[in-house]
Amino acid sequence: MSADILTFIIFLPAVTAFALMVTTKNVQAVRNIAFLSTLAILVLVLKLYISFEPQAQMQFVTNTPWIVEYGIRYYIGVDGFSLTILMMIAILIPTAYLLLWDGRTKGYWINMLLVQTGVTGTLLSLDIVLFYFFWEVMLLPVFLMIGIMGTGNKVFTTIKVTVYTMGGSLLMFLAIMYLGVSYFNEFGEWSFQYDKLTQITTLSHTERLYCFFAFVIAFGIKIPLFPLHTWIMDTYKNAPTGAVFLLSSIMAKLGVYAIVRFMIPLFPDIYVEFSTYFVCLGLFGLIYFGIAALKQDDMKRMFAYSSASHLSFIAAGIFSLNSYGINGALYLMIAHAMATGALFLLVGLIHYKTGYKTISDLGGLAKKAPILTFVFAIMLFANVGLPGTNGFVAELLIIFGIYEFNHTLGYIAGFTVVIGASYMLWMFQRAILQDRVGEALKMSDLKMKEILGFAPWIVLVFLMGIAPDLFIDKFEPTVTYFLDDILKIGEVK
Amino acid sequence: MESGLIIWIILAPLLGALLNGGLYFYHITQRAIPQRLFSIIGTLSPILGFIFTLILFLDMKETGNTYSQDLFTWLEVGNLHISMKLLADNLSIFMTMFVTFVGSLIHIYAIGYMHKDPGFGKFFAYFNLFLASMLILVLADNPIVLFIGWEGVGVCSYLLIKFYYGKAENVTAANKAFIVNRVGDLGFLLGVVTLFFAVGEGDMSFSSLEANIGNVSPELLVLSGVLLFVGAMGKSAQIPLFTWLPDAMAGPTPISALIHAATMVTAGIYMVARFHFLYEGVEGVGLYIAYVGAASALFAAIIACKQQDIKKILAYSTMSQLGYMFIGVGLGYYSSGLFHVFTHAFFKAMLFMGAGGIIIAVHHHQNIFKIAQERVNLPIISGTFLIGVIAISGIPPFSGFFSKDAILAAAFAEGEYLIWIIGMFTAFLTAFYMFRLYFILFWAPNKKVGNPYVYTSKTITIPLAILALGAFGAGFLNLPTVLWGEHLVDTWLLQLNSKVLHMSHLTEWILMILSVGVASAGIYVSYKKYANFDVFKPESEEGLIANKFYVDEFYDKTLVKPIQKLSVFIDKVVDTKIIDGFIMGTCNKFVEFGKIVGTLQTANVRFYAAFMLVGMSCIFIYLYISLGL
Amino acid sequence: MISLTSYAFVSMTLFTIGVMGVVSRRNVFVIYMSIELMLNGVNLFLVTFARHHLNLDGQIITIMVIAIAAAEAAIFLSVIILLFRSKKSLDTDMFTALKDKESK
């Protein structure tokens, strides 16, 4: 198992994209080849997953010089945490391709490939500048997708989201440079590797605070944390389905992942110090976004709020300082990616088949499309956290985690149980079950390839819900080791 | 071998559900499948479950063993070790026995009832799934597995209530049921979490919780007890989480019979009994439970007196009887409460099934006055209905008397005279409204000469007959010693440390005679009023009671509407105007600043020249001064 | 002899008059002539100080400036002719095509 496998996984989609860009104009060919390359990635990641040993250190590391003058290295590696997310991405993207199959342009597929590179690169980078590079790379194709292939006020939306996110990234970059300079001042050489940067001792508490918050703002915009969330409303509504799927299911999770990978090891004392604040913020977001979702008419907007609600809950879990919360947060990342991703794709399919995506325009789909209704219902219940699905395991763990952190907050965390159910069921009733007011819509049921696309997700939802230990085993040691380390440093400092 | 059997009790209906579901998909997408196949799979699976249960029961009766089955490790994080463990002890086998038995009978009934429905296969898939979930709930060995079953029955209840989803009210009712249940589940989950952290050791199975319950401080014990009971309130439709139950009658009658009479709603009482080791330590919470039960019983009984829909009357009656059961378990008399669960399952399921038969026979009227106007001759149904009504009113030797009386005696013995009085008065009302139902449906004259006889299929009548036997005879399983009985059920459920009635035989006799008297008085008053009622002048629907004390409207005004307003407020005001307004405002400030700077670009050469002049002069003056020339 | 100050004064006067002309007059030709005035003022200044320091550098620069002024004259006058052709006016205030219009 060569260590280059990670490089291959990162760059294969980009290479395919560039090759396709210059060679063919045939949309079908582009799509098929893109799909094949994502399948290839899936196979590679599976191989990786199987040969990975669940222990605490980084594996499959590549560390070569890149920009030598400033000590920026091409430093990538994977551990239990990133491997699980990588696996999730690798499974989600090919199946999403199946569900986005018809009616897209060549540019759509090429952008999707480029995003996959960006996302994988972000996930696997261990050098902060390399991470930043991929962080920006994953945003640019989305910018194009929304601006060109979106609906509604697309140009305004795409500029808003890009500038907003980049504004945050800029702050992060300032902090990165600050850290780099501090490292240089202390050790006499430049380095941006995250494990080296954790050894900086000369920064005062205030400096660390500012750096921490610079990072938090950048990641908080992506997640989104209240109050940095206002970009998601228009974006999720106007963006094409593939972009929404990528943004919500994958890129948002990377915000949380980045917090765990970089911010926590670099600033453990501040992590511990502000944990209560962030748990409260996360829980507030959970309830706030959940209530806001109730009266939405546009389904994508409703799922945007629902997504924000769950992601705030995930963030709350991360800051709960114990293994239940963090393991639960990771599990919820995966569960949510599947459930919400599937729901977004279903809305996209409904829009494609009927031409509508607002609840007041829809109705009566259940009679015409029973299989779609069935899949919708399963994903809905996974989102709501029904026992037997992975959503429940994740939410249970996070509630345990937050309760251990603070009893009262734990009780508030329990409200996740009620909130999701209300708007989800009401939407399901009006959009799918009830007969439509006015004339009936023409609607076709899911085709075989769409069923094939959803099948792995449905299987995983139940498998992860019935036998969660199979999956948690792979990343729990990492989390435990990581946590012990952090909390020791955090307390002592 | 025996412990391996436990999982099969659950798997039988579960596999039936999956099979039926898969076949149904095939049925709607490819080729039609005869209803026969669905019904065979659909009824065979619960019957198999019953057979397995019977085997286990007989074995346990003989050997006195309890069996548990550890399937696999479910979750192992930190100190949390949860396994998928099933437990067959006396309590769970007791529950499983009547759940599978009554369940099988209702499945058979459903064959006839759902006969014309195109969604026949789907119905049986859901129905079997429900039974599987209920069995998971009852056979669970730790609270998490119990919760899996607990939510599972909630989901199946949702799916089945909205079975006729074309009509909006049905789906709304299903949503209401699910969401109100979820509020209860929130309480339950938080109770479990509190308990886990308070106990601190062991593997969360009931036996280890029971062993370590001493670790828990009294305050946390009270808190857990109350929170767990919130779950029971939701599941078993007690005040204040009861509003979903009457609306749930929108579903097909078989599910009202099974879910909302015999099984799901009793899960709350089962849960309190299962956690008896916790409630024993906090008598105050138990008393609170008993009071909630009493209040719910009374409240529901009052409302039932004025309801006009046959199923709604039965729904409120269920809520009322559930209140009795909670009085029993709340006061620590777990086996008495459970015994009432047992007898109630028989007669309530039978009453619902009978109601369903009547509804079909009179072409789907559900208003009791309309049914009376169209009355048809249904000998078996009316006969079993009468048995059911007598049983629920608490007239000996029918089963309802023994179970209800045991609970009332318990209240009296504990010195809770207020509860006893409420219970007695509710018994009076119960007899009154149940016989009101009976008289209007079957007796009150409707100016028709001779009612036509309508054939009812055997799948309806035979289960009714079997249940009628149960409704009559089940009481004898727990005859108290004062009546020369062996109180078998109490003995079987000894593990629960139920309190034993300490009362003189004389007092017991007096109490028994009083209850019979009260019930008879209720029947008499009802007879006087309704036996000759003119069914063509139905009762008015005005008034506080007839409008269910406006509870639904109250919830709507205080909870539902404000939250909806809050949702709109958050979206339109806070998000759009305040937060986003702030960000867009900042951007606009930048743009405006840019515009101001832009005014310098006048494209006028002289202006530029003048500006350059001014600028350079300033620079030179600055240099001149700073360089000190 | 005429003092250095007088020469400086004369060149500054020339220069200032030139500046004032550039800034305040609207006729294109007058602006051109004012620019020439400015250049000549500077030339005088350079030559004066070259003579004063007995250094030929100033005089060389002056000759370069004169040459550049001549080239500039050619270009200037051609541009004026083109401008006149497009707007039929010699008023510099009319040529504001590069202005910052109120953008959205």
Side-chain angles (χ1 to χ4, degrees), chain A residues 4 7 61-68 71-76 127 130 193:
Chain A
D4 288 333
T7 310
V61 173
T62 307
N63 191 347
T64 59
W66 184 27
I67 301 177
V68 185
I72 302 172
R73 301 177 75 86
Y74 177 71
Y75 180 31
I76 56 177
D127 177 301
L130 185 68
Q193 297 173 93

Side-chain angles (χ1 to χ4, degrees), chain A residues 229 291 296 305 411 417 429, chain B residues 175 182 194 567 571 575 583:
Chain A
H229 64 278
I291 295 183
Q296 292 301 316
Y305 272 119
Y411 285 156
V417 161
Q429 169 184 356
Chain B
N175 286 351
R182 270 257 155 163
T194 314
S567 170
D571 183 30
D575 257 10
I583 292 174

Side-chain angles (χ1 to χ4, degrees), chain B residues 198-327:
Chain B
V199 167
E201 53 173 324
D203 69 349
M204 283 274 267
S205 68
F206 287 119
S207 38
S208 103
L209 281 175
E210 185 167 358
N212 293 320
I213 196 76
N215 292 351
V216 183
S217 71
E219 303 88 38
L220 284 179
L221 213 55
V222 168
L223 191 56
S224 324
V226 170
L227 285 172
L228 290 171
F229 180 61
V230 170
M233 276 201 264
K235 246 325 163 259
S236 305
Q238 300 294 285
I239 296 176
L241 296 172
F242 67 91
T243 48
W244 63 272
L245 188 58
D247 291 359
M249 297 299 117
T253 312
I255 71 153
S256 309
L258 182 60
I259 301 182
H260 304 126
T263 46
M264 179 174 110
V265 291
T266 59
I269 294 121
Y270 166 74
M271 189 272 295
V272 174
R274 185 48 95 190
F275 276 96
H276 65 95
F277 50 86
L278 192 157
Y279 288 105
E280 274 162 21
V282 278
E283 298 251 327
V285 177
L287 197 58
Y288 165 71
I289 295 179
Y291 271 103
V292 169
S296 307
L298 183 62
F299 186 74
I302 297 178
I303 296 182
C305 293
K306 278 269 186 180
Q307 285 296 305
Q308 297 188 7
D309 180 310
I310 185 175
K311 283 174 75 171
K312 289 224 164 71
I313 296 179
L314 291 177
Y316 280 107
S317 139
T318 306
M319 179 181 161
S320 186
Q321 297 303 308
L322 289 168
Y324 273 109
M325 299 172 208
F326 276 113
I327 297 178

Side-chain angles (χ1 to χ4, degrees), chain C residues 41-55:
Chain C
V42 170
N43 281 345
L44 184 56
F45 208 75
L46 280 167
V47 165
T48 308
F49 277 95
R51 186 77 169 91
H52 184 258
H53 290 298
L54 292 174
N55 194 326

Side-chain angles (χ1 to χ4, degrees), chain A residues 11-20 114 117:
Chain A
F11 287 106
L12 181 61
V15 167
T16 320
F18 286 123
L20 286 172
L114 289 172
T117 295

